[in-house]
């Protein structure tokens, strides 16, 4: 009936009157009764748009082969404040449904759903998508696309008749993920306009849809995208869909992010985010104990709190073509193991982190040579195409899962590892992405349970696995593989619509960016990384004395400000000149704030307009 602004005090009779008022008139050449849509619109209701449920039962089964169920409500429960659980059943198709709605104190609506086969034979599920209505005044759509090192690029268009569908078939969220699908009033921005937004809390294949129908109905939905035959329910089996997260704001996109940030902070509070140094762009695969120890000593001198050893530490891992799956320390480059480096890092007052890629395997590895059947395949006799010279490991195979879990546990038992940078550098291109995603979540959870205090960063070729599903199992995301500050400005601004700043890894890179080749000043690079989960990814041995002094001042400022930066409200200005970007964080009581005014290019006017800082208390005085 309604998803939007608070209706105030209501009564059952008043809600019935509202429901009747929202039903459109019967139009010529249509069903003879008004079309009343449910959360799961179906043809049996008279809906000729995309059905909320699709599937079939093979013919000849005693329970019937109806492909288009007609559900009746069997019970309504309110298990918790702000929640409703609806139970439905179709006795002809012998299917039962549960739809849960949970509205939290911040105005974030979580939609959960499941379907159970109550028949005598199998039932094949094609799609289950709970939908939400948006009013006719929502006339524009905003979502995102992108590519590697160029994530979260906005695309806006009119919300016309028809269906705008974004499918992701990467086996991960994807660099080109729609990320957050928003419908809004014309011209909505960060600080103005009504916005309705939806996101799927899931790291596998998914579909997101905005649909406007000639009946006047407009809907948003987000659901898991299932492969043909991927989910077949035996009698008594159930399918539980990933949660769709929906948010309404009368105050533009900033209102959306404020509510989503509050939800994440409540569900998964984080300790203060340490200053990180990651070794990748400092040494790449050239691991040398003396050089890395020297880098750690310089890092400690400028205020780094966490030292992360990136790719290249495993046996035989001299490039990206071998050794994934063999999670043992290379005895040639590390004859005493990692102990000398880890001990020195700890002596310097930093904790130690390690890069891993547990979901992947190289054919040139001991693991693949011993168990080629553990490589994830679309068909038993065919390997998928290689991607970065690597393949996915079938973690749904209990033996493969246990092997990787045991290897990582041995590392975590031997070394005081506080942090795993958990990478995933390819699309799956074969096998069940659903089972692989669930197995990845389970592996993360088991390691964290066995090793309390362990933190995990979700990295996937940079920002290809950032969603509210993986956030339930991790503590940080790597926002993008590019450390170019100019590219990072847009990537971070848009990624922070979904996640609060403390989740977004942002590092000070080298003077010339590794990926784009663009040069940037030290001050611009430092300011770009300050607001987020800050770190360094640069060979500090090449920095000048003046550089190191400035970096030390920056880490001190970050440590002093992170309590505000990682608890306040993120605000963004709707700047009249697209070359000038203004963003900041305002304390919850509006007693303090930190802002960045960023020049992204040449200003439109010779004399730039006055900068307005959003979110401040207008009555607080000068």
């Amino acid at each position: 009936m309604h998803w939007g602004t608070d209706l105030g005090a209501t009564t059952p009779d008043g809600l019935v009157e509202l429901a009747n008022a929202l039903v459109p008139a019967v139009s010529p050449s249509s069903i003879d009764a008004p079309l009343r849509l449910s959360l799961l619109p179906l043809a049996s209701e008279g809906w000729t748009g995309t059905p909320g449920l699709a599937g079939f039962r093979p013919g000849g089964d005693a329970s019937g082969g109806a492909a288009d169920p007609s559900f009746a409500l069997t019970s309504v429960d309110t298990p918790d404040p702000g929640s409703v659980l609806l139970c439905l059943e179709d006795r002809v198709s012998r299917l039962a449904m549960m739809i849960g709605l949970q509205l939290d104190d911040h105005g974030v609506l979580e939609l959960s759903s499941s379907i159970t086969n109550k028949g005598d034979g199998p039932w094949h599920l094609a799609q289950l998508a709970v939908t939400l209505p948006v009013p006719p005044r929502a006339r524009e759509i905003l979502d995102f696309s992108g590519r590697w090192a160029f994530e979260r690029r906005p695309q806006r268009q009119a919300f016309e008749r028809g269906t705008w569908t974004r499918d992701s078939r990467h086996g991960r969220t994807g660099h080109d993920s729609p990320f957050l699908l928003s419908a809004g009033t014309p011209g909505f921005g960060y600080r103005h306009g009504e916005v309705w937004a939806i996101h799927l809390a899931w790291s596998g294949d998914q579909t997101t849809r905005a649909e406007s129908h000639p009946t006047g109905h407009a809907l948003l939905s987000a659901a898991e995208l299932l492969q043909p035959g991927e989910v077949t329910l035996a009698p008594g089996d159930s399918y539980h869909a990933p949660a769709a997260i929906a948010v309404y704001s009368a105050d533009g996109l900033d209102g959306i992010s404020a509510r989503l940030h509050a939800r994440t902070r409540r569900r998964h509070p984080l300790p203060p985010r340490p200053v990180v140094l990651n070794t990748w762009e400092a040494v790449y695969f050239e691991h040398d104990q003396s050089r890395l120890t020297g880098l750690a000593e310089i890092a400690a001198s400028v205020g780094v709190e966490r030292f992360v050893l990136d790719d290249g530490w495993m046996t035989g891992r001299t490039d990206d073509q071998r050794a994934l799956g063999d999670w043992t320390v290379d005895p040639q480059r590390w004859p005493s193991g990692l102990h000398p480096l880890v001990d020195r890092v700890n002596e310097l007052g930093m904790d130690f982190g390690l890069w891993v890629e547990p979901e992947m395997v190289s054919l040139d590895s001991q693991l693949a040579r011993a168990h080629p059947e553990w490589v994830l395949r679309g068909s038993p006799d065919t390997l998928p195409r290689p991607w970065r010279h690597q393949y996915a490991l079938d973690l749904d195979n209990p033996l493969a899962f246990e092997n990787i879990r045991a290897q990582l546990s041995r590392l975590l038992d031997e070394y005081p590892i506080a942090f795993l940078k958990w990478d995933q550098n390819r699309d799956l291109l074969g096998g069940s992405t659903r089972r692989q995603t669930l197995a990845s979540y389970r592996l993360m959870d088991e390691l964290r349970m066995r090793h309390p205090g362990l933190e995990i960063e979700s990295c996937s070729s940079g920002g290809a696995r950032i969603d509210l599903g993986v956030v339930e199992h991790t503590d940080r995301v790597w926002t993008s593989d590019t450390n170019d500050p100019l590219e990072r400005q847009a990537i971070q601004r848009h990624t922070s619509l979904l996640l609060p700043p403390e989740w977004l890894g942002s590092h000070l890179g080298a003077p010339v960016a590794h990926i784009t080749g663009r040069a940037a000043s030290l001050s611009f690079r430092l300011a770009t990384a300050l607001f987020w989960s800050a770190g360094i990814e640069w060979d500090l041995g090449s920095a000048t004395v003046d550089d190191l002094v400035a970096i030390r001042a920056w880490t001190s400022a970050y440590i002093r400000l992170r309590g505000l930066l990682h608890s306040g409200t993120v605000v963004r200005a709707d700047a009249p000149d697209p070359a000038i970007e203004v963003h900041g964080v305002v304390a919850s009581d509006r007693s303090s704030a930190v802002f960045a005014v960023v020049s992204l290019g040449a200003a439109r006017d010779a004399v730039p307009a006055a900068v307005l800082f959003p979110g401040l208390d207008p009555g607080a005085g000068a």
Side-chain angles (χ1 to χ4, degrees):
M1 284 167 31
H2 172 79
W3 167 35
T5 189
D6 186 355
L7 297 177
T10 58
T11 64
D13 289 343
L15 290 175
V16 170
E17 291 176 3
L18 174 63
N20 291 334
L22 292 174
V23 175
V26 176
S27 62
S29 187
S30 67
I31 58 174
D32 294 336
L35 176 61
R36 294 177 180 266
L37 286 188
S38 69
L39 290 164
L40 198 73
L42 298 168
S44 57
E45 302 170 1
W47 174 243
T48 57
T50 306
L53 176 67
F56 70 96
R57 192 182 298 281
D61 184 82
S63 59
D68 182 40
S70 178
F71 288 101
L73 187 66
T74 59
S75 67
V76 179
D77 191 16
T78 54
D80 300 297
S83 69
V84 177
L85 182 63
L86 310 172
C87 295
L88 310 99
E89 189 168 349
D90 177 18
R91 298 184 185 279
V92 176
S93 63
R94 311 248 346 237
L95 296 173
M97 286 280 306
M98 286 199 301
I99 299 176
L101 300 96
Q102 173 76 51
L103 185 67
D104 70 14
D105 293 341
H106 309 291
V108 179
L109 179 65
E110 180 173 333
L111 301 167
S112 59
S113 57
S114 66
I115 186 165
T116 300
N117 178 14
K118 303 186 75 172
D120 299 325
W123 192 80
H124 301 288
L125 175 65
Q127 182 171 300
L128 172 58
V130 177
T131 65
L132 287 174
V134 292
R137 63 184 180 278
R139 303 299 298 167
E140 289 185 358
I141 300 172
L142 171 70
D143 67 357
F144 298 87
S145 187
R147 53 180 169 79
W148 175 71
F150 199 73
E151 297 92 341
R152 249 74 66 203
R153 299 296 154 160
Q155 47 188 25
R156 186 187 289 253
Q157 60 188 296
F159 193 178
E160 302 287 2
R161 290 283 185 258
T163 303
W164 174 251
T165 301
R166 295 287 309 283
D167 289 348
S168 173
R169 292 181 171 88
H170 301 288
R172 52 180 175 172
T173 323
H175 292 102
D176 61 346
S177 164
F179 198 58
L180 187 70
L181 173 62
S182 300
T185 51
F188 69 90
Y190 288 117
R191 305 293 297 176
H192 67 279
E194 288 185 279
V195 185
W196 295 259
I198 195 164
H199 167 89
L200 190 69
W202 179 242
S203 305
D205 290 355
Q206 53 193 271
T207 182
T208 308
R209 180 179 296 113
E211 186 164 3
S212 178
H213 201 263
T215 59
H217 295 90
L219 306 172
L220 297 183
S221 67
E224 181 180 6
L225 181 62
L226 296 172
Q227 300 173 22
E230 189 171 15
V231 174
T232 297
L233 300 179
D237 283 354
S238 298
Y239 164 81
H240 296 271
I245 308 300
V247 193
Y248 164 79
S249 167
D251 309 309
L253 291 166
D254 274 5
I256 297 290
S257 69
R259 290 163 175 80
L260 289 170
H261 293 182
R263 175 186 186 272
T264 297
R265 286 169 171 166
R266 174 180 57 82
R267 291 173 66 94
H268 201 337
L270 297 173
R273 298 293 78 201
V275 181
V276 174
L277 184 137
N278 187 72
T279 65
W280 177 243
E281 291 190 11
V283 302
Y284 300 103
F285 288 108
E286 297 176 8
H287 282 209
D288 175 81
Q289 181 177 315
S290 176
R291 182 182 177 187
L292 286 162
T293 301
L295 181 61
E297 290 169 348
I298 300 173
S301 73
V302 297
V304 168
E305 299 165 301
R306 171 171 289 165
F307 186 91
V308 180
L309 183 66
D310 209 289
D311 194 0
W313 57 268
M314 309 96 71
T315 300
R317 182 71 168 174
T318 55
D319 55 33
D320 65 356
Q321 300 186 30
R322 68 201 80 248
L324 290 180
D326 300 339
W327 302 106
T328 56
V329 178
D330 191 320
Q332 293 187 356
R333 284 174 291 174
W334 301 97
S336 300
L338 296 177
H339 292 290
L341 177 63
V342 175
D343 291 346
R344 184 59 178 145
V345 165
N346 291 160
E347 287 172 3
L348 292 166
M350 299 181 290
D351 64 31
F352 182 78
L354 192 65
W355 176 92
V356 294
E357 196 172 1
E359 300 158 69
M360 299 294 154
V361 63
S362 306
L363 293 188
D364 185 3
S365 66
Q366 297 178 28
L367 183 71
R369 283 187 287 272
H371 296 284
E373 73 278 10
W374 290 357
V375 178
L376 188 68
R377 305 165 189 257
S379 60
D381 300 324
T382 305
L383 282 172
R385 291 183 179 272
W387 185 305
R388 202 179 179 236
H389 313 289
Q390 66 189 51
Y391 299 83
L393 190 68
D394 184 3
L395 290 180
D396 190 51
N397 182 315
L399 296 177
F401 181 95
E402 175 55 28
N403 179 287
I404 296 301
R405 189 202 61 75
Q407 287 195 64
L408 295 180
S409 286
R410 282 195 293 271
L411 280 169
L412 294 167
D413 288 336
E414 182 174 358
Y415 300 102
I417 298 170
F419 175 87
L420 290 178
K421 179 183 177 182
W422 188 298
D423 218 335
Q424 182 206 32
N425 275 310
R426 66 158 292 159
D427 287 2
L428 294 188
L429 303 181
S432 170
T433 64
R434 172 176 175 76
R435 291 194 292 272
Q436 186 76 358
T437 301
L438 292 173
S440 300
Y441 287 169
R442 188 169 72 253
L443 180 58
M444 294 176 184
D445 290 346
E446 287 197 15
L447 291 172
R448 285 156 56 101
M449 180 181 65
R450 291 167 181 261
H451 304 276
L454 174 68
E455 292 191 357
I456 295 176
E457 176 183 60
S458 172
C459 177
S460 187
S461 310
R465 185 160 62 180
I466 298 178
D467 57 77
L468 294 180
V470 79
V471 160
E472 296 292 324
H473 311 275
T474 57
D475 308 273
R476 191 185 199 237
V477 299
W478 184 228
T479 317
S480 176
D481 271 347
T482 183
N483 286 314
D484 182 330
L486 191 62
E487 300 298 340
R488 275 284 185 148
Q489 284 290 328
I491 293 169
Q492 291 167 174
R493 179 166 67 253
H494 299 134
T495 308
S496 67
L497 286 172
L498 183 71
L499 288 178
E502 62 268 26
W503 279 84
L504 306 183
S506 182
H507 291 178
L508 165 69
V512 177
H514 163 73
I515 289 175
T516 65
R518 182 186 285 124
S521 67
L522 178 61
S523 59
F524 185 39
R525 285 146 50 215
L526 292 171
T528 299
L530 176 69
F531 285 73
W532 319 94
S533 180
I536 300 168
E537 196 153 345
W538 177 24
D539 181 5
L540 293 180
S542 66
T544 68
V545 172
D546 288 345
D547 289 340
L548 296 177
V549 170
I551 294 169
R552 176 71 210 191
W554 171 76
T555 59
S556 297
Y558 170 77
I559 291 168
R560 184 179 73 254
L561 292 170
R562 64 186 166 194
L564 166 60
L565 294 173
H566 299 164
S567 67
T569 301
V570 175
V571 294
R572 310 163 187 87
D574 289 309
D577 185 346
I580 306 299
E581 166 66 28
V582 179
H583 69 89
V585 179
V586 180
S588 56
D589 62 359
R590 297 203 285 185
S591 62
S592 58
V594 183
F595 283 93
V597 181
V598 186
S599 177
L600 302 176
R604 182 183 60 191
D605 300 321
V607 179
V611 172
L612 299 179
F613 294 103
L616 299 177
D617 182 355

